[in-house]
Amino acid sequence: MEEILRQVQAGELSITEAKQRLATYEDLGFAKVDHHRKKRQGFPEVIYGEGKTVEHIVSILEAIQAKHNDVIITRISKEKAILILETHPEFSYHDVARILYWKAEKKETAKQREGYIAVVCAGTSDLPVAEEAAVTAELLGSNVRRFYDVGVAGLHRLLDQAPAIQEATVSIVVAGMEGALTSVVGGLVSHPVIAVPTSVGYGANFNGLSALLTMLNSCSSGVSVVNIDNGFGGAYSAVLIDQRDRKE
C-alpha cells in the first residue's frame, strides 16, 4: 500500500490505477471475486463449481488468474471441465476428485518439506470424497499420504497402517455407513483428526446423517467434524494445522 501511495505522490500512477490495485474484490455483477483472501487467510478464493454455469466459472477463474493467483475449482463435473479445458488448456482436471486447477508459479514443493497429512478412507465407495480432500491438501501445499480401504469391517487392514498414520501431523478420516472409523483412528493417534462423513450407505444411513452423528458423538478426543461429503472443508482445516506445525 505504501509503495502504491508513493507512486501516486510521484505521479507515476494515476488515482484510478491506484484504486484498482488497492481494491479488495472485483465485482463481476454475478460474483464478487475476493482478491484479498490470500493476504487474509493464506490461500486465494476457491471456486465451488456446482450450480455455476461454464460462463460464470470462466469469468471468475480469469479474474483470479489475472492476479497471478492459483485457481482451484471444486465439485466441477467432467462435462463442464472439458468445455473449460478447450479454451484454457493450461488447467488440469482430476476426474475422481472433480477438481479443476491451475498453478500460477512453481514454488517450494511440499515433497521437500517434512511432515504429511494422512488421508484415511474407509471404503472404495468413499474415494471421491477422500480424493477431494487429498488433492485439495496437495494443491494448498501439504504432503499427503493416502491410506485407503481400511474400514472397520477388516480392522487388521487399518492396524497394518497404524504406525505410518501415527507419524502424520493431522489425519483426515473419510467414512460412510456408520462412520465408526473416526473413533478408531482417534484412539490410535496423538494428533488432530478431521472427520468427514460421506453419504455412502444403505437406507438408514440417511444420506450420511448416520455417519455424521456417529462422528459428532465420538468418544475419542481430538476429533473435529465437517459437513457430509465435504472433503474440501476437511482438507482446508487439515492444511491450516499442518502449516502451523511447520512454522513452529
Side-chain angles (χ1 to χ4, degrees), residues 17 24 26 48 53 59 91 105 110 125 130 142 149 155 157 161 167-168 177 186 188 208-209 212 217 231:
E17 291 172 326
T24 57
E26 182 176 350
Y48 183 74
T53 66
S59 295
F91 277 73
E105 59 185 17
S125 296
S142 288
D149 197 22
L155 200 56
R157 300 173 301 181
Q161 305 298 324
E167 290 298 317
M177 299 290 185
L188 292 173
L209 183 60
L212 172 65
N217 286 282

Side-chain angles (χ1 to χ4, degrees), residues 102-153:
W102 173 75
K103 302 293 286 184
E105 59 185 17
K106 290 185 177 180
K107 302 173 183 177
E108 177 191 2
T109 61
K111 292 181 176 61
Q112 295 174 321
R113 304 166 181 159
E114 295 181 1
Y116 55 87
I117 295 171
V119 178
V120 186
C121 181
T124 306
S125 296
D126 301 308
L127 280 183
V129 179
E131 276 298 289
E132 181 181 61
V135 173
T136 296
E138 289 173 333
L139 290 174
L140 295 179
S142 288
N143 290 317
V144 171
R145 289 190 61 178
R146 293 162 169 81
F147 304 89
Y148 288 175
D149 197 22
V150 291
V152 297

Side-chain angles (χ1 to χ4, degrees), residues 222-240:
V223 173
S224 300
V225 188
V226 299
N227 207 349
I228 298 167
D229 291 334
N230 190 7
F232 167 79
Y236 201 101
S237 296
V239 169
L240 291 175

Side-chain angles (χ1 to χ4, degrees), residues 37-72:
R37 190 169 302 185
K38 186 175 181 179
K39 291 183 179 179
R40 297 195 318 271
Q41 297 186 318
F43 308 112
E45 181 174 3
V46 175
I47 305 168
Y48 183 74
E50 281 187 2
K52 292 184 178 68
T53 66
V54 170
E55 292 74 19
H56 285 165
I57 294 171
V58 168
S59 295
I60 296 169
L61 72 84
E62 287 179 346
I64 296 174
Q65 267 190 311
K67 298 293 184 180
H68 307 290
N69 285 322
D70 295 345
V71 181
I72 302 175

Side-chain angles (χ1 to χ4, degrees), residues 197-213:
T198 77
S199 54
V200 172
Y202 297 105
N205 171 265
F206 296 112
N207 294 317
L209 183 60
S210 64
L212 172 65
L213 293 176

